[in-house]
Amino acid sequence: MSAAKEGGKRGNRIDLSPPPPGAAAAAAGGSAQPQPPIATPALRAFVNHLSSSLNHGLSQRRPWAELVDRTAFSKPESLSDAALRVRKNYSYFRVNYLAVVAAVLAFSLVTNPVSLFFLAGLLAAWLFLYLFRPADSPLVLFGRTYSDRETLGVLIVLSVVVIFLTSVGSVLISALLAGVAVVCVHGAFRVPEDLFLDEQESPSTGFLSFLGGAASNAAAPAVASRV
């Protein structure tokens, strides 16, 4: 009887020994939900806006055969005539001209892979570390937490360093100047008498306005959440 009572007492004892070290971490890891590194919906909205605006802007381009029609080229009579031709041709071939400048810029970056690498890294830093990073998820690097103001300051300094202290700035400026020179030469020698601009088309509308509107509409919520 005494042995049975002793066994019953042992069976009713409560185990107060601490759990294994890995059990608490496993339980916490199972209950915690991983946070996305970036705001995926905002990034997706930005890409969709940019893609739709790009397609809409390119749909307003003039026929390329009309742009390179050799029968419509002649030497301008004076400098003022050349400037007038450039203004008229730009109003008509705006999207085509911007596409030419973009092509020259892309060719310059592709032929300079180091500049392309720095520029892509800078753009990725702005997108993933500031613009589309969740506002409630602070940036932590090397064990230190950075506020939004500190992150913005670091990105601005990094942008100045990349653009002005590397070859990126010279490549961008030279490519833009080359593209603008091509556009000005074509506009000065292209006779615009046979071109008819739609009366309802505003001079301020064009390829850049659509892209600028898309970028501002998509990025505005992400920036406003940090102000």
Side-chain angles (χ1 to χ4, degrees):
M1 292 293 293
S2 60
K5 291 181 179 180
E6 185 178 355
K9 292 180 180 180
R10 290 179 181 178
N12 294 332
R13 288 179 181 176
I14 300 176
D15 188 9
L16 299 178
S17 59
S31 60
Q33 297 294 333
Q35 295 183 355
I38 59 173
T40 306
L43 181 60
R44 187 181 297 113
F46 174 77
V47 173
N48 292 336
H49 274 285
L50 192 62
S51 177
S52 61
S53 299
L54 181 64
N55 293 330
H56 182 64
L58 290 177
S59 66
Q60 296 186 352
R61 69 182 185 277
R62 306 298 180 177
W64 291 101
E66 188 176 3
L67 182 73
V68 296
D69 185 10
R70 292 183 297 178
T71 61
F73 286 88
S74 66
K75 183 180 179 180
E77 298 179 355
S78 61
L79 187 60
S80 59
D81 183 32
L84 181 61
R85 288 185 180 185
V86 170
R87 287 198 301 268
K88 289 184 177 180
N89 284 317
Y90 177 76
S91 298
Y92 188 79
F93 294 112
R94 181 185 298 109
V95 178
N96 302 75
Y97 283 160
L98 292 174
V100 170
V101 174
V104 174
L105 183 61
F107 177 78
S108 300
L109 289 175
V110 170
T111 54
N112 293 273
V114 176
S115 300
L116 180 60
F117 174 78
F118 281 124
L119 190 62
L122 180 63
L123 179 61
W126 274 101
L127 291 178
F128 297 114
L129 297 182
Y130 186 76
L131 291 178
F132 299 112
R133 179 174 54 83
D136 56 349
S137 178
L139 179 63
V140 180
L141 292 176
F142 305 107
R144 186 181 187 278
T145 302
Y146 294 86
S147 64
D148 289 338
R149 182 172 299 180
E150 291 174 337
T151 304
L152 180 60
V154 170
L155 288 174
I156 291 176
V157 173
L158 182 62
S159 301
V160 172
V161 171
V162 170
I163 294 177
F164 295 103
L165 299 183
T166 65
S167 60
V168 174
S170 60
V171 170
L172 292 178
I173 293 175
S174 59
L176 290 176
L177 290 178
V180 171
V182 171
V183 169
C184 291
V185 170
H186 179 275
F189 284 87
R190 176 65 163 80
V191 180
E193 274 72 17
D194 60 335
L195 305 180
F196 298 95
L197 190 65
D198 297 338
E199 294 181 357
Q200 297 180 354
E201 183 177 359
S202 173
S204 61
T205 61
F207 187 63
L208 287 181
S209 62
F210 290 115
L211 289 183
S216 60
N217 292 336
V223 177
S225 62
R226 304 183 183 280
V227 176

